[in-house]
Amino acid sequence: MKFRITLVFLLLVFLANSQQNKPYRIRTIAFYNLENLFDTENDSLTFDDDRTPEGKDQWTPERYRKKLDHLSQVLSEIGSNISKTSPDIIGVCEVENRKVIEDLLHHPNLITKNYGVVHYDSPDERGIDVALLYKKKVFLPTSSSSHRLVLTNEDGERNYTRDQLIVGGLLDDEQLFFIVNHWPSRSGGEARSRPNRMAAAKLNKHIMDSVQRLDANAKIISMGDFNDDPTNDSFKKVLKTVGKVSQLKGNDLYNPMEKLYKKGIGSLAYRDQWNLFDQIFFTQNLLQASEGGYKFWKAGIFNAPYLVTKKGRYKGYPKRTYSGGSYTGGYSDHFPVYIYLIKPVLHP
């Protein structure tokens, strides 16, 4: 009898260990605000005059190349401590055009990764857009569209801002949808500009609802620089995001960034206060993967030491390209954010 009990115990231990050691495929989904990735040419249709060699910022080819050096290094390393490679899907914002994206992806740090691009020109006054980068061997886009956010100011005049991009496709033969956002800024103050972000949240929800009307079980990941924190009304009242798995119900969206924010972790700093404007949230069906499908594992902020200002007034802040109007040769005023998706490898 004692031998039988011992045998059963050893069998349970073996099964538990075999579950823990089960091999998983990991895919990294990242988002990065590239902080004004402009070329050096003057575009007569946008307000890019500062970012030219003769402009206020003295944006020379040398400074542009250094910016590409820096950003390509970051993109090559996000999440790599676990995945051992660069992200599989990357949402970006503050890119001037497709050319600067291609210059970035053809940098030696990234060219061997063979990324593809989905990009549309937005009507933003500064000429900045959002885009989705993807590894061609991992993701096959099957649909994409750009959705216009129509805003007006107090005088009834059109306020031109960034579109919201949605891309559907196959991630290792599994259908997923990615939305890339760059919501209106807090220029003029948080309260005064809040209606613009509430409108952006409504557009984001409309896009998600449209996908779910065609497929109620669609897996959707929305990412971006939202210029709002996870606890702001745009998230809690419009999108109805939830930060605790135990509190999810109905069609709630899960936002893993809310937990990080409540711990005091941020992706950018302003007046010695951290904000977590850069976020990735998703439909809750990514928490319980179907057989052989991807599921969410964990979220993080990529704040490697070289991305952090080491001294001075902005010590601890993201090391940006310009600070106080002076060129500092940094990376971006935002840290990138990322999530890992995992699924068991059936035949390792």
Side-chain angles (χ1 to χ4, degrees):
M1 183 68 178
K2 185 175 180 180
F3 171 77
R4 198 179 310 170
I5 293 173
T6 303
L7 185 62
V8 171
F9 173 75
L10 291 174
L11 181 60
L12 290 173
V13 169
F14 171 78
L15 290 173
N17 286 335
S18 65
Q19 284 292 108
Q20 290 174 357
N21 295 327
K22 183 189 298 183
Y24 283 89
R25 174 174 290 161
I26 300 174
R27 296 298 181 203
T28 307
I29 315 299
F31 175 82
Y32 196 17
N33 180 327
L34 302 182
E35 191 206 17
N36 296 319
L37 181 57
F38 283 77
D39 59 29
T40 59
E41 299 173 11
N42 186 19
D43 185 340
S44 60
L45 299 179
T46 60
F47 300 137
D48 70 341
D49 300 47
D50 289 346
R51 285 296 171 105
T52 59
E54 300 78 23
K56 179 174 67 69
D57 293 336
Q58 299 179 352
W59 190 239
T60 62
E62 291 75 23
R63 290 183 175 182
Y64 177 58
R65 285 194 292 270
K66 185 172 183 179
K67 179 86 168 176
L68 295 176
D69 289 343
H70 282 171
L71 295 179
S72 62
Q73 177 188 359
V74 178
L75 292 180
S76 71
E77 294 179 2
I78 298 171
S80 63
N81 59 318
I82 290 180
S83 68
K84 307 306 178 187
T85 186
S86 62
D88 301 283
I89 304 287
I90 309 171
V92 295
C93 74
E94 294 200 13
V95 293
E96 184 182 15
N97 49 43
R98 189 180 182 94
K99 176 184 178 298
V100 299
I101 302 171
E102 291 177 346
D103 286 349
L104 179 63
L105 296 182
H106 283 90
H107 190 280
N109 287 332
L110 293 174
I111 193 167
T112 60
K113 308 300 183 183
N114 196 23
Y115 281 103
V117 181
V118 181
H119 164 265
Y120 293 82
D121 283 314
S122 289
D124 182 82
E125 293 173 347
R126 292 171 53 214
I128 54 174
D129 308 324
V130 301
L132 188 82
L133 319 179
Y134 61 91
K135 284 184 176 174
K136 295 178 182 178
K137 68 177 182 180
V138 171
F139 183 71
L140 175 65
T142 55
S143 64
S144 67
S145 58
S146 188
H147 295 256
R148 194 129 298 172
L149 177 60
V150 180
L151 301 173
T152 55
N153 61 24
E154 295 170 348
D155 298 323
E157 299 171 335
R158 178 78 180 273
N159 181 6
Y160 293 94
T161 187
R162 282 77 62 177
D163 293 348
Q164 294 183 18
L165 169 67
I166 181 167
V167 181
L170 300 175
L171 182 67
D172 295 318
D173 299 322
E174 181 178 2
Q175 180 79 55
L176 270 86
F177 295 87
F178 300 95
I179 306 175
V180 188
N181 303 262
H182 186 192
W183 289 3
S185 75
R186 295 191 170 195
S187 177
E190 189 279 326
R192 185 177 179 183
S193 60
R194 186 183 305 154
N196 292 337
R197 289 184 299 283
M198 295 293 278
K202 291 175 183 176
L203 175 60
N204 195 261
K205 189 174 189 310
H206 170 73
I207 296 170
M208 299 180 97
D209 289 345
S210 298
V211 173
Q212 290 175 320
R213 274 195 292 272
L214 297 175
D215 179 3
N217 297 313
K219 294 181 176 180
I220 309 172
I221 296 173
S222 189
M223 66 181 88
D225 173 1
F226 297 95
N227 276 301
D228 263 346
D229 290 313
T231 54
N232 284 127
D233 287 350
S234 55
F235 281 91
K236 305 308 287 186
K237 293 186 177 181
V238 178
L239 290 166
K240 294 182 169 55
T241 57
V242 175
K244 291 184 177 180
V245 174
S246 60
Q247 295 178 354
L248 285 167
K249 57 185 178 181
N251 294 318
D252 288 341
L253 299 166
Y254 180 61
N255 188 356
M257 302 296 172
E258 186 174 327
K259 186 184 298 182
L260 298 177
Y261 177 66
K262 289 181 175 178
K263 290 180 178 178
I265 300 173
S267 59
L268 73 158
Y270 179 68
R271 293 181 178 176
D272 295 329
Q273 178 179 336
W274 283 96
N275 292 102
L276 188 44
F277 290 170
D278 306 272
Q279 302 175 54
I280 303 175
F281 62 94
F282 45 84
T283 49
Q284 59 178 284
N285 53 5
L286 274 161
L287 294 171
Q288 303 92 21
S290 55
E291 183 66 28
Y294 279 107
K295 63 180 288 187
F296 167 75
W297 179 31
K298 63 180 179 178
I301 296 175
F302 185 71
N303 53 1
Y306 66 83
L307 289 175
V308 181
T309 303
K310 298 295 187 296
K311 58 184 179 180
R313 178 182 173 188
Y314 300 109
K315 182 179 179 180
Y317 286 28
K319 187 177 181 182
R320 54 193 302 169
T321 309
Y322 286 84
S323 182
S326 299
Y327 177 71
T328 52
Y331 298 77
S332 170
D333 53 347
H334 293 243
F335 291 137
V337 295
Y338 62 94
I339 64 171
Y340 292 119
L341 300 181
I342 61 171
K343 72 174 180 178
V345 177
L346 301 180
H347 303 289

